[in-house]
Amino acid sequence: QVQLVESGGGLVQVGGSLRLSCAASGRTSSAYAMAWFRQAPGKERNFVAKINWSGSATYYADSVKGRFTISRDNAKNTVYLQMNSLKPEDTAVYYCAARISYGLGYDDNYDYWGQGTQVTVSS
């Protein structure tokens, strides 16, 4: 089992930046691919970004490409999401997810999820 805890959310103005963190604990000796998803009020949860086990490969949703950067520090069992040039439509609860895999994968099926952290972008 792996436990994921997100942090770093908050209230920010349009054009501002935030960095989310996701700390993993438990069975972290396995290789995990990680991802960020988000869910806005009244909407479905959507994919944001993902990163492979080594950190050598990443993939982003079109809506955040060029503004968000996913990275990881395996020594700290932590994944990050740097969010720049934030827009009101980025307002959502952001979730960290993990699955046992070396690669990025081709779907949005993840085994472990965090509790989420709220990001609110005010205009």
Side-chain angles (χ1 to χ4, degrees):
Q1 287 282 357
V2 172
Q3 293 77 45
L4 304 174
V5 178
E6 303 96 334
S7 61
L11 175 64
V12 63
Q13 291 187 333
V14 170
S17 298
L18 279 176
R19 188 176 83 155
L20 305 183
S21 299
C22 172
S25 62
R27 191 180 175 185
T28 57
S29 59
S30 299
Y32 290 94
M34 305 289 292
W36 288 95
F37 289 76
R38 66 185 181 185
Q39 187 169 20
K43 296 188 177 181
E44 294 183 348
R45 185 165 59 189
N46 291 322
F47 165 78
V48 174
K50 59 184 174 182
I51 188 167
N52 69 344
W53 163 243
S54 67
S56 62
T58 58
Y59 185 78
Y60 298 90
D62 288 342
S63 58
V64 306
K65 201 172 296 182
R67 300 187 298 122
F68 290 12
T69 302
I70 188 171
S71 61
R72 67 190 298 161
D73 184 341
N74 287 344
K76 296 181 179 180
N77 295 319
T78 301
V79 171
Y80 305 98
L81 186 67
Q82 178 67 42
M83 306 186 294
N84 299 329
S85 303
L86 283 162
K87 305 175 181 180
E89 51 264 43
D90 294 319
T91 295
V93 176
Y94 283 71
Y95 297 91
C96 175
R99 62 183 171 194
I100 298 177
S101 173
Y102 284 100
L104 287 176
Y106 299 97
D107 57 44
D108 291 340
N109 296 321
Y110 287 80
D111 301 311
Y112 305 102
W113 294 84
Q115 83 290 347
T117 185
Q118 176 71 47
V119 172
T120 303
V121 184
S122 65
S123 57

